[in-house]
Amino acid sequence: MLRPLHQSKRQRLPALAGGLLVLLAVAAFVGIALTALLAGRMTVGILQAFGDPVVRSVLSFTLWQAFLSTLLSVGLALPVVSALARQPAFPGRIWLIRLMAVPMGLPVLIGALGLIGIFGRNGIVNDALGGLGLSQPISVYGLTGILIAHVFFNLPLATRLMLSALERVPAEYWRMSASLGLSPIATFRFIEWPALARVIPGAAGLIFMLCVTSFTLVLIFGGGPAATTIEVAIYQALRFDFNPERAVSLALLQITVTGVILIGLSLLPAASDTGVTSGRRFPRFDGRRPLVRLIDALLLSLAGLFLILPLGQVVVSGLQADLARLISQSTFQQAALTSLLVALVSGVTATLLAFGAVAARTEIDTQRNRNVGNRLMSIALASLSSLVLLVPTSVLATGWFLALRSSGEIANFAPLVVAGINALMALPFAVRVLEPAYREHRARTGRLAESLGLSVAQRLRRVDWPELKRPFLTALAFSMALSLGDLGAVALFGSENIMTLPALIYASMGSYRSTDADGLALLLGMVCLLLALLGAPGTRQASEREAPDAR
């Protein structure tokens, strides 16, 4: 528990000023986009667009695919979680759990290419079905493809959230179930389900929200009249129809939908605090029967194959491309340079914004008597993560596109705007990395730094930076990786204004140069992997602390 610090205003004010600066910067960035969206467009014609049958059809499909994706992700994760919990000695269990973290940090475009390679017309699955005599192969496009892709990215998230809930069940419960001779079904009913039921509503709500705001996967696997979500419809209205009025009405509809979902999420048990599973083993006696072990091994093997095959497909297909030719092309070099510059600006911005927000909230929380202004600031800073979900990428990009179009400077400012949007999208993740480390560090060193009479600059240089540089690098690397893999904001601004690696991959796919797209995806994945390794020292320490339990 944090003890209150008796800091002087001279020491406390910089942190509060930093928090205020973060709020003003985010409010200005989002406010300009929303003002450009609404200015002069709140007419009866736009409001009538909500009654457009096409818009209603898009809204229905958005909610329907999100509902099915959530149902499949959570429903399929349940048996996988139970099998992981029952089989602590399953070979490669800890690596399977770690593998489930990969899709969450993987650029969506790379995962999509891997899924097309496995479930596409010439993929492994359809070849196997054809060998069995089935004449109708699986179509990876349309609703089926969207569901497969959403399950690929969200089943691991649901599994990790639910497994962390089972890890907190006291060991005495499992011993008691063994002494009572409970069957696996009875164990699930009386012990596992009560623990999972506390997590499932929040996890399902989070996945539903992610699927509602999904853009890249729907753009690749859907995009047709019968398989379009609101986010993709905004993109089509701007890029294909060049109908800003329709894009604005769709953006307002998107904000309304996400706002209603966020209100619903606030009423559910939070799942965000249980997102990290240590993978530790706990004693289970109900998984020792041969039949149960066989079924669990089959389930875990299928789950592992479902995750590994698309990732392996990206590597195999990418190696078949002429990587040397791709790297020597000026188009690739320009796209790679743009991607790295945008990712660097985005990563630094997200990390600094996160540090400002975390430092201000920590200082406010350690005050004995917090005034109304400080309390409101703390609430506002804590709400920044929800703001990202309330105003998704497509809405921000649409607003800034309209704002820049009126000035005729889209090409000049597009990279900066894309970097800003990516920074805002990465902000919640950067906060999550920095906040625990900063709060622990301040609780341990705050009084000592105060007693030594260190200035703010001296404290930052001599006390804070040596301890916090690793979380800083982790947050920076993760934010850069998110920006490198983003296609949403770039797609709305168009390749004539900004060309990044994801945009180049998407352009290669659109011109049927699939081999080049696979090679570019492999190169992008290698850059993201390098960033993950650069930001890994803090994670490695955590892994070392977990090692005794994992073993």
Side-chain angles (χ1 to χ4, degrees), residues 75-153:
L76 293 174
L78 272 173
V80 176
V81 169
S82 292
L84 280 171
R86 273 194 302 264
Q87 305 300 332
F90 182 75
R93 177 181 181 273
I94 189 64
W95 291 106
L96 178 58
I97 293 173
R98 289 172 179 170
L99 177 66
M100 290 181 176
V102 174
M104 291 186 282
L106 184 73
V108 174
L109 203 52
I110 296 178
L113 280 171
L115 290 170
I116 291 174
I118 298 300
F119 296 97
R121 178 171 293 275
N122 298 317
I124 296 174
V125 173
N126 276 321
D127 286 346
L129 292 176
L132 295 175
L134 299 177
S135 59
Q136 295 294 330
I138 295 176
S139 173
V140 78
Y141 297 103
L143 180 60
T144 304
I146 293 172
L147 295 180
I148 292 174
H150 280 163
V151 171
F152 174 77
F153 282 96

Side-chain angles (χ1 to χ4, degrees), residues 62-77 147 150-151 154-155 158 162 200-212:
T62 301
L63 299 177
W64 178 239
Q65 62 84 23
F67 170 75
L68 290 179
S69 299
T70 305
L71 186 66
L72 289 173
S73 298
V74 176
L76 293 174
L147 295 180
H150 280 163
V151 171
N154 294 316
L155 184 145
M162 289 191 281
I200 287 177
L206 177 62
I207 292 171
F208 185 81
M209 182 58 132
L210 293 175
C211 294
V212 164

Side-chain angles (χ1 to χ4, degrees), residues 1-7 11 355 362-363 366 436-456 458-468:
M1 179 178 176
L2 292 175
R3 291 183 300 175
L5 302 177
H6 306 285
Q7 294 178 313
Q11 294 174 310
F355 177 72
T362 304
E363 295 302 329
T366 54
Y438 184 83
R439 285 184 179 272
E440 181 183 351
H441 169 71
R442 292 290 292 141
R444 195 173 65 250
T445 64
R447 285 182 177 276
L448 178 60
E450 183 183 2
S451 65
L452 293 175
L454 298 178
S455 66
V456 174
Q458 289 173 327
R459 192 184 69 195
L460 285 174
R461 182 163 55 90
R462 296 181 180 278
V463 180
D464 292 343
W465 177 247
E467 288 294 322
L468 297 176

Side-chain angles (χ1 to χ4, degrees), residues 87-251:
Q87 305 300 332
F90 182 75
R93 177 181 181 273
I94 189 64
W95 291 106
L96 178 58
I97 293 173
R98 289 172 179 170
L99 177 66
M100 290 181 176
V102 174
M104 291 186 282
L106 184 73
V108 174
L109 203 52
I110 296 178
L113 280 171
L115 290 170
I116 291 174
I118 298 300
F119 296 97
R121 178 171 293 275
N122 298 317
I124 296 174
V125 173
N126 276 321
D127 286 346
L129 292 176
L132 295 175
L134 299 177
S135 59
Q136 295 294 330
I138 295 176
S139 173
V140 78
Y141 297 103
L143 180 60
T144 304
I146 293 172
L147 295 180
I148 292 174
H150 280 163
V151 171
F152 174 77
F153 282 96
N154 294 316
L155 184 145
L157 173 62
T159 301
R160 288 172 66 88
L161 289 171
M162 289 191 281
L163 186 60
S164 66
L166 289 185
E167 287 176 348
R168 294 194 297 276
V169 174
E172 289 76 14
Y173 283 38
W174 309 119
R175 296 192 185 98
M176 183 177 294
S177 69
S179 64
L180 294 175
L182 296 182
S183 66
I185 295 177
T187 303
F188 178 82
R189 178 184 175 186
F190 294 111
I191 299 179
E192 290 184 341
W193 179 248
L196 295 174
R198 291 193 291 270
V199 180
I200 287 177
L206 177 62
I207 292 171
F208 185 81
M209 182 58 132
L210 293 175
C211 294
V212 164
T213 57
S214 175
F215 173 76
T216 303
L217 293 176
V218 180
L219 181 65
I220 293 175
F221 293 104
T228 297
T229 59
I230 300 175
E231 295 252 341
V232 176
I234 293 173
Y235 166 77
Q236 292 169 338
L238 278 181
R239 300 305 307 171
F240 299 149
D241 305 332
F242 199 67
N243 188 344
E245 304 297 330
R246 188 178 187 81
V248 170
S249 63
L250 289 167

